[in-house]
Amino acid sequence: MNALRLVLVTGRFWPLAADEERLLADLVEELAAGGVTVTVVTAQGHKSWPTMVVQRGVPIVRLPRSNARVWGAFRYQRTLAQWLAEHRREFDLVYVVGMRDEALAVLGAAGSGFPVVLRAVGLGETGDCQWRRSIHFGGRIASRCRAADAVVAASETSSEELRRAGFSPDRIELIADGVTRRPRKDAASQLRARAELSEVHPILAVPPDAPLVFYSGPIRENQGLLDLVAAWPLVLQHWPTAKLWLTGDATGADLLWNEIQQSGLTDTIILPGSFDFFDEILPAADVVVHAARESSSSLTVIESMAAGVPVVATRTPLMESLLDADEEALLTPVGDHEALAAAIGRLLADSALTHRLAEAAWRKYERRHTIEKMSQDHLSLFGRLVSTRTLALS
């Protein structure tokens, strides 16, 4: 079989830098390094952005999209379908991130001409399956998505949601998320990371002996951040110099910030914004916390596993499928801020426990969550589908 020619269609891509965008950028780079010809087709995030760029050696095509809710989506779908028709001879398969506007356009354009793989994004209230129930044409989108050649689920939790939404089990492909390898944290790298961060901005200065607890992700209520803020005074009782960083897009985080202010925690809880890369940040942390009240993105947790930073997480189905409680991380009941504080305190106080959990989590990362494994699993799926389509047409 000739080298695969892949079009990846996604509503958001670099330079946007939330979890999904960072994961996709790494996956695209790994696929390209493996010999795949990749073209990314995405929405033009701002009209000032160029419509064609090359990033990490991969061409990125940006299609205009209006902010008009209905008419803008329709025109964007039509433009995407037209692009696929015009470039049909240049690709073998289309991989669509999400089951929303892009999926509707691609599946409508596909017919019997090329295989389409969808990637399910999000879980629960913020996920693709729930989103379709909240819009006028959700039934139509769901029906068309079920006709895709395959749907990639990143976890058993996502796979179960897809089955409940009516997707055929034999079309659901479980491919775990993966991240690039990085140096594992040690005492020297932690000191170096903290020194470098303090040079970036005084707000990021953390003394060498002060505990640093780190969260990265959406700054939203369903991420359990109010629980984490409620837990923080209990942590400070034993660790008065500790710092808590809540990194991510804080747009609309007024309720959280008001709670931090009213609790008198503005000196110890910092909202430093979003970061593009975590290689320089994770080594500075002592503990990474994932306090979500429902299953949500696990990318930061996987990055923590790869970097050797111990994790405290809530017992959502996703976290329970990702990490073994008390063997690879400390898991606490959802919404229990006292248990959350106690788990953070255990890791700050017990270096032997911290080392054991981080080592076990790193071994699981090596087995299941490298970017190389994620890329190879996708390539196996894509190759199988292209071969099947070629045989069917011959």
Side-chain angles (χ1 to χ4, degrees):
M1 178 176 149
N2 295 328
L4 179 70
R5 301 172 303 170
L6 173 70
V7 170
L8 184 141
V9 176
T10 177
R12 292 168 52 92
F13 198 69
W14 177 90
L16 303 170
D19 284 0
E20 192 70 16
E21 291 78 62
R22 291 189 290 112
L23 181 143
L24 291 175
D26 287 344
L27 176 61
V28 163
E29 184 177 32
E30 187 66 26
L31 289 170
V36 178
T37 300
V38 186
T39 301
V40 176
V41 179
T42 187
Q44 189 180 24
H46 190 277
K47 60 184 178 181
S48 66
W49 290 8
T51 56
M52 176 72 179
V53 294
V54 176
Q55 195 257 349
R56 302 189 190 183
V58 173
I60 303 172
V61 178
R62 293 171 173 155
L63 304 179
R65 175 163 188 169
S66 166
N67 290 328
R69 185 169 183 180
V70 177
W71 180 240
F74 172 75
R75 292 184 64 184
Y76 171 61
Q77 291 171 22
R78 187 176 62 182
T79 302
L80 175 55
Q82 289 173 344
W83 187 94
L84 292 170
E86 292 169 2
H87 296 268
R88 174 61 193 96
R89 295 183 179 274
E90 301 170 18
F91 61 86
D92 304 305
L93 180 144
V94 178
Y95 186 27
V96 186
V97 179
M99 297 187 290
R100 306 193 182 193
D101 294 339
E102 291 80 13
L104 189 62
V106 172
L107 288 164
S112 59
F114 54 85
V116 176
V117 177
L118 306 181
R119 172 178 166 83
V121 175
L123 293 163
E125 293 182 2
T126 61
D128 286 335
C129 292
Q130 184 65 33
W131 174 81
R132 292 200 307 271
R133 299 189 184 101
S134 65
I135 61 172
H136 291 301
F137 301 105
R140 178 188 173 199
I141 295 176
S143 177
R144 186 166 285 181
C145 287
R146 285 193 287 266
D149 294 87
V151 181
V152 171
S155 67
E156 288 287 359
T157 306
S158 177
S159 180
E160 177 58 29
E161 272 200 359
L162 290 168
R163 287 192 289 269
R164 291 199 304 268
F167 285 84
S168 174
D170 61 3
R171 295 197 180 191
I172 300 172
E173 194 80 9
L174 182 58
I175 299 179
D177 287 345
V179 301
T180 57
R181 285 184 171 84
R182 60 205 65 209
R184 293 169 69 186
K185 170 194 159 186
D186 58 21
S189 64
Q190 184 174 58
L191 287 173
R192 185 168 57 252
R194 292 191 178 189
E196 292 172 352
L197 287 167
S198 67
E199 293 176 0
V200 173
H201 195 284
I203 199 174
L204 302 179
V206 179
D209 58 348
L212 174 59
V213 178
F214 180 70
Y215 162 86
S216 177
I219 308 296
R220 294 198 298 258
E221 291 182 34
N222 66 345
Q223 298 301 310
L225 298 183
L226 289 174
D227 298 326
L228 185 51
V229 170
W232 197 241
L234 302 178
V235 175
L236 293 176
Q237 288 178 9
H238 302 282
W239 305 92
T241 62
K243 301 288 185 180
L244 172 62
W245 288 5
L246 307 178
T247 70
D249 182 3
T251 304
D254 293 344
L255 178 62
L256 179 68
W257 183 242
N258 288 340
E259 184 64 27
I260 293 171
Q261 290 179 310
Q262 291 174 12
S263 301
L265 298 172
T266 53
D267 290 338
T268 61
I269 300 181
I270 309 300
L271 278 69
S274 298
F275 291 86
D276 289 348
F277 302 103
F278 289 98
D279 291 353
E280 298 86 0
I281 302 172
L282 277 175
D286 294 290
V287 177
V288 167
V289 177
H290 185 88
R293 288 195 164 215
E294 63 178 30
S295 293
S296 61
S297 173
S298 60
L299 188 65
T300 300
V301 171
I302 297 173
E303 289 175 316
S304 304
M305 295 164 67
V309 182
V311 173
V312 171
T314 43
R315 286 184 175 273
T316 63
L318 179 60
M319 286 298 109
E320 289 188 307
S321 69
L322 180 64
L323 293 161
D324 291 337
D326 298 324
E327 296 295 329
E328 297 160 345
L330 297 184
L331 303 184
T332 66
V334 172
D336 188 337
H337 71 274
E338 293 182 353
L340 192 62
I344 294 171
R346 282 185 65 192
L347 291 186
L348 295 179
D350 191 338
S351 59
L353 173 64
T354 295
H355 176 77
R356 177 173 63 80
L357 295 178
E359 183 69 20
W362 178 81
R363 289 196 298 269
K364 176 172 280 187
Y365 158 76
E366 283 287 326
R367 292 194 307 271
R368 300 185 185 178
H369 296 288
T370 65
I371 194 64
E372 293 88 352
K373 185 177 189 308
M374 183 185 184
S375 175
Q376 189 55 54
D377 288 347
H378 276 89
L379 278 176
S380 297
L381 171 63
F382 297 159
R384 186 168 72 247
L385 293 175
V386 170
S387 297
T388 300
R389 182 61 62 94
T390 301
L391 289 172
L393 295 176
S394 62

